[in-house]
Each structure stands twice: as structure tokens, then as C-alpha cells.
Amino acid sequence: MEDLPDALIGEIVKRVSSTSDLSSLSLVSKRLYKIEAESRHTIHIGCSLRPATDAIVSLCSRFHNLLKVDINYSGWTQDHGNQLDNHGLRILSSYCLSLSDITLSFCSYIDDTGLGYLAFCKKLITLRLNSATKITSSGLLAVAVGCKNLSALHLIDCNKISGAFEWLKYLGSDGSLEELKVKNCVGINQYSLLMFGPGWMKLQRFVFEFRNIYSIFEPKDPSYVANCQYRYDFSCENLKQLSLRRIVTVEEIGLRSLLGKCKSLEKLCLHFVLGLTDSDMITLAQNCSNLRSISLQLEPVFCEGPEGRVCRTPLTDESLKALAGCRMLQVVELTMFGCDYAYPEIGFTQEGLMMFFQSCPIRDLVLCGANIFDDEGMKALSSAQFLQTLELMDCVYITDAGMCLLADSPSLVNLTLRQSDGFSDVGVGEVVRARKLDSLIVEGCSRVSQKAVLGTAKSVRYERYYPGYGKLRRSSLSFGQD
């Protein structure tokens, strides 16, 4: 070890990911203590940092090459002592001049003054604010003006951000933002985000979500003129990833207008977007030839049909026909939420779904709540040439006969079955005997036993109950998760 140069040892140290291992390594010798300090680029700070101010001085003095700092006070109580405050953030920004990535989560002692100190971090690229209860638009404006290289901004549960949104206008006109995520911020509505203006041209990833209920009573678009042909004049041709959840739209007003402008779009999540229509999907398919992934989560709404007003999921086979023309579409989620077996209706038909599955080179498919899909539909899935990963959830009319068809699926290696009681050990057993699965997950399927699935794939998970739809995390489908 003594013969190795410091630079080589530093490269070895960088490959050690465990914080406890790094701490132990630094105690071996003064040389390793110094090298480890110079090589440390990331630290995580939380409730155990006591006293906070003294500890941050010590950390910044030792790790002066820090690039990424994650400050998270989730679960903090008064018994933990004082949190890191504005003064602590000033120390951090003064000592660590190379900081490029900062996350502040549940930091209730930090307000706009503290956030303003981050303007000294001239190399800051990514800023994440999660449950930052004292941060307002003024603090964000200070960061926007001072951090010229800021390219990613995440705002989650930051409910004091409202008002004039000068920070958003500034980032749009003079900033270099490529990623913007706004989740559950009650003071920011979709029309506020339109103030981003020319910034939309640079943006590549955009997320706008509300957690539970629709933001029905949000302010109307102040620039909208009734009875006039209407278009937003901004362009977002570089946008590659778009996620919208729990927003209310009407034709050509608000963020729904993005669907006709994103010619480079590759990944799309539309979850419970009120006002979504077949026309939107047709426009999308016509303009987004690079679309590779789509996640649609739909629930019943009142729609006008040939026989009058009906309650159903908003999209029909017309949307599936349009999306079938997306020849690069490989990852698909179709979730129909809150549809009973008889009523309300699902806008798709089984024939439409079968046509869609056979037309696109789908590699990864999630089908949830499809009570119109039965063993006949499984014929289309079993013959899908490229299908490698399949999840079936709450598809109550699929029986053992339909499951047995999957035994002939040419490429299937990952299978997930959730909350479906139509099939049993017989059908699942036929699949696992015929296919050499990499992974098998069975959750909440009352007629499938643990004995039938254990040891049948390289990775097996069996749960008698499934965790609930809201707790599922599908990494291949969602990019808006933090």
C-alpha cells in the first residue's frame, strides 16, 4: 500500500460506497484519512448531526471537495436537537465551492435567507426541495439569479411558493433548466408554469403532479380568450419526458397543450388527467414518432357517446389505433381504476387491446383493472413476439386456460400477478414449467399458493396480500418519483 501513489488510492476509495466503510478506512492511517477526505464527494446529513452548526463546520473543513449534499430531516422531533439552519447553509456554501447537487428535505429551520446563500454555489446544477415549508418565491428567485448553471429543479410539497413567480420567468428567459419537477405544491398551478415561456424550448424532462384530488378550483388561464381559436406560442420540441397527474384541462388550454408540441417525446405518463380525449392521443401519435414509453392511468368520468352521456374511462379504441402507429413503443401501462365489473364502463374493448398488443413491439406491459380482458385476449399476449415483462393486476376474467397460453410466449422472462383470483396453481404452474423465468412476483392471488411458486424462477416473491396500488413503484414506467 505504501508504494501506491495517492491518486491511485483515491480512485480505489471512490469505489467504496458504504459510509461506514469509508469512516473505518479513514481511521487506518493519517495518509488514508487525508486521501479519503479529499476523495469524498457526497455526504448525507440528518437528525444525527448534533450540534448541527458545529458538525457542519467540521464536515465542510474536512470534505472540501464535496459535490453532492443531501440534508434530510424526515422524522425529526425536538428530542433530536436543533436542525441545520440558515447559518449552517451559509457555512456549507462558503466552504464547498464545488457543490453541484443539493437536496433539502423537511428542513424547517431554513427559509429564504438560507436558500439565498446557495447563490454562492456557482457550480450548482441540481436543487431539490422537499417539504421546505418556509421557502417562498423570493428564495427561488435568489437561486435562479445566482446559479447560472442550474439545470434541474425539483419542488415537492413546498406550499409557500406562490405569487408573482419571477423565479420562473427568470429561469425561462435567462436560465438553462433542462429538468423541472413540481409535485403537490398547492400554490403553483398549471397556468403559472406557462410563465416559463422560452424556457420550454430547453426543457427535456417535466413533471407536474398533485397527490390525491383534482385541482378543480385552480385559477383560470388569464391569457385565455373565449370563442377564439387559441394556441400557446411557446415551443417544447426538446421535451423528452412528460408526466402529468391529477390536473384538470379543457381543449387547448393549460398543460394539455404540450401533447401536440413535444416532437422529441420519448416517455409519457398521464395519470388521472381530467379532460383527456381520443383527440389528444391522436395528436400525440401523429407528432411523437420517438415515443418509447407510455403510462395511462384512467378512471371513469362522464363522456358524450353515440347514445348520450355515459360514465366510462375517457379513452376508447380510437386512442389505441392511433398509438398502434408508434412503431418504437416498447413500455406500456394501461390502468383502469375504479371500474366495476358491470358499470362504470371501460372505454377500450378487448378487440382494441388485442390489436394494440399485436401492432407495437411492446417489451414491458402492465395491464391493470381490465375487466374486459379474458382468456381470448391472452392469446394476443402469448403471441406478442417481443414481450419480456408482463404484469397483470386485477384482471378478474383471466382463468387457468388463459394463463396456460403464456407458456408459449416466445420472450417472456418476468411475470407479475397481483390481486387476481380467476386462475390458480394449475395455470401458473404451467407457465413456470414451460418458461425459464428470471423473476416471478405473486401478490394477493388467493388461488395461487406459495408452494406452487417457490423455486420456480431465479427471483421469486410471494405475498398473500398485495401492498395496495398507491404503494407500487414501477421503475420502468415512472420517472417522476423522488
Side-chain angles (χ1 to χ4, degrees):
M1 180 71 76
E2 289 77 8
D3 297 331
L4 295 178
D6 288 359
L8 180 56
I9 296 177
E11 289 301 316
I12 295 173
V13 170
K14 288 177 184 178
R15 286 162 172 76
V16 179
S17 57
S18 170
T19 301
S20 59
D21 289 344
L22 287 170
S23 299
S24 299
L25 183 67
S26 67
L27 298 176
V28 172
S29 67
K30 291 183 178 179
R31 184 186 182 205
L32 283 176
Y33 182 88
K34 179 182 178 182
I35 292 174
E36 193 273 329
E38 292 177 346
S39 304
R40 183 79 72 93
H41 289 161
T42 301
I43 61 170
H44 300 273
I45 297 171
C47 299
S48 61
L49 190 74
R50 292 185 287 182
T53 302
D54 293 342
I56 197 66
V57 171
S58 176
L59 288 171
C60 291
S61 298
R62 183 182 173 198
F63 305 120
H64 52 270
N65 290 328
L66 287 176
L67 301 177
K68 182 176 181 179
V69 174
D70 184 351
I71 305 174
N72 190 335
Y73 281 100
S74 177
W76 176 87
T77 66
Q78 292 289 346
D79 293 338
H80 290 110
N82 292 334
Q83 292 188 11
L84 192 72
D85 58 12
N86 293 338
H87 182 57
L89 213 54
R90 181 180 184 182
I91 293 170
L92 182 67
S93 60
S94 300
Y95 276 75
C96 305
L97 301 179
S98 297
L99 279 176
S100 61
D101 189 316
I102 298 176
T103 300
L104 303 178
S105 299
F106 302 94
C107 297
S108 57
Y109 283 36
I110 294 175
D111 58 22
D112 290 340
T113 300
L115 197 67
Y117 292 133
L118 296 185
F120 296 110
C121 300
K122 301 302 181 182
K123 297 182 180 181
L124 188 64
I125 295 174
T126 301
L127 174 63
R128 303 178 188 87
L129 300 178
N130 185 359
S131 299
T133 57
K134 293 185 178 179
I135 301 301
T136 73
S137 293
S138 298
L140 286 178
L141 180 59
V143 173
V145 173
C147 303
K148 302 295 185 182
N149 294 314
L150 189 68
S151 65
L153 177 62
H154 298 187
L155 305 174
I156 304 170
D157 291 306
C158 297
N159 292 328
K160 278 202 169 183
I161 299 174
S162 60
F165 296 101
E166 293 299 325
W167 59 275
L168 192 59
K169 296 177 184 177
Y170 188 91
L171 287 173
S173 60
D174 298 311
S176 54
L177 213 59
E178 295 180 357
E179 177 173 304
L180 177 60
K181 294 185 180 182
V182 180
K183 301 174 69 173
N184 310 315
C185 297
V186 297
I188 304 176
N189 63 67
Q190 58 179 311
Y191 305 122
S192 303
L193 291 167
L194 295 173
M195 298 179 186
F196 195 42
W200 286 104
M201 175 61 81
K202 305 170 189 175
L203 206 63
Q204 296 184 23
R205 294 169 296 278
F206 176 60
V207 175
F208 184 64
E209 300 180 359
F210 286 96
R211 182 180 290 110
N212 292 318
I213 60 173
Y214 292 107
S215 183
I216 294 177
F217 300 107
E218 64 183 1
K220 301 300 181 183
D221 183 359
S223 62
Y224 174 68
V225 179
N227 302 318
C228 292
Q229 187 175 9
Y230 192 62
R231 296 287 187 276
Y232 292 113
D233 59 3
F234 64 81
S235 173
C236 53
E237 293 186 355
N238 291 313
L239 195 64
K240 295 181 179 180
Q241 298 181 356
L242 171 64
S243 179
L244 303 175
R245 180 180 177 87
R246 295 286 184 191
I247 67 169
V248 180
T249 68
V250 293
E251 188 174 0
E252 295 184 5
I253 301 177
L255 293 177
R256 179 171 152 193
S257 63
L258 295 176
L259 297 176
K261 297 175 177 288
C262 308
K263 295 183 178 180
S264 299
L265 195 65
E266 297 178 1
K267 198 168 187 177
L268 174 65
C269 294
L270 297 175
H271 294 174
F272 311 115
V273 176
L274 191 60
L276 197 64
T277 67
D278 286 329
S279 296
D280 296 315
M281 293 297 100
I282 293 171
T283 300
L284 173 76
Q286 291 173 342
N287 288 281
C288 304
S289 58
N290 293 323
L291 190 65
R292 289 170 168 81
S293 173
I294 187 167
S295 175
L296 297 174
Q297 296 181 5
L298 310 169
E299 61 186 351
V301 295
F302 284 102
C303 304
E304 294 297 333
E307 298 180 358
R309 195 170 176 83
V310 295
C311 185
R312 61 166 171 79
T313 52
L315 303 182
T316 71
D317 287 354
E318 293 303 312
S319 292
L320 295 177
K321 291 176 184 177
L323 292 172
C326 298
R327 298 305 180 184
M328 300 181 71
L329 190 57
Q330 296 181 342
V331 181
V332 174
E333 176 191 5
L334 297 176
T335 289
M336 281 63 72
F337 187 80
C339 296
D340 204 346
Y341 308 131
Y343 187 83
E345 303 173 3
I346 292 177
F348 303 138
T349 66
Q350 177 162 260
E351 291 72 21
L353 290 173
M354 293 173 65
M355 176 277 303
F356 177 58
F357 296 153
Q358 292 177 328
S359 299
C360 294
I362 299 175
R363 173 179 50 82
D364 189 328
L365 172 65
V366 175
L367 186 62
C368 177
N371 55 52
I372 55 167
F373 200 76
D374 58 21
D375 295 342
E376 185 68 23
M378 291 294 283
K379 293 179 181 179
L381 290 183
S382 65
S383 63
Q385 182 179 356
F386 302 101
L387 186 63
Q388 298 177 2
T389 300
L390 173 64
E391 176 178 335
L392 299 173
M393 176 173 168
D394 195 23
C395 295
V396 296
Y397 291 120
I398 298 175
T399 71
D400 285 332
M403 289 302 298
C404 289
L405 294 172
L406 286 182
D408 297 323
S409 181
S411 303
L412 186 67
V413 291
N414 304 300
L415 178 61
T416 298
L417 306 171
R418 290 189 169 108
Q419 200 184 10
S420 298
D421 299 325
F423 47 80
S424 67
D425 289 352
V426 175
V428 176
E430 188 71 22
V431 178
V432 297
R433 282 191 294 271
R435 306 296 313 164
K436 294 182 179 180
L437 296 178
D438 289 338
S439 71
L440 174 63
I441 300 173
V442 178
E443 295 177 341
C445 300
S446 63
R447 298 178 63 203
V448 180
S449 68
Q450 186 174 19
K451 181 180 178 181
V453 302
L454 289 181
T456 58
K458 294 178 182 178
S459 172
V460 175
R461 186 168 81 239
Y462 178 89
E463 298 289 344
R464 185 178 179 184
Y465 305 102
Y466 93 110
Y469 185 76
K471 296 181 179 180
L472 298 178
R473 293 292 181 266
R474 300 181 175 112
S475 57
S476 63
L477 292 163
S478 296
F479 54 90
Q481 297 171 0
D482 286 88

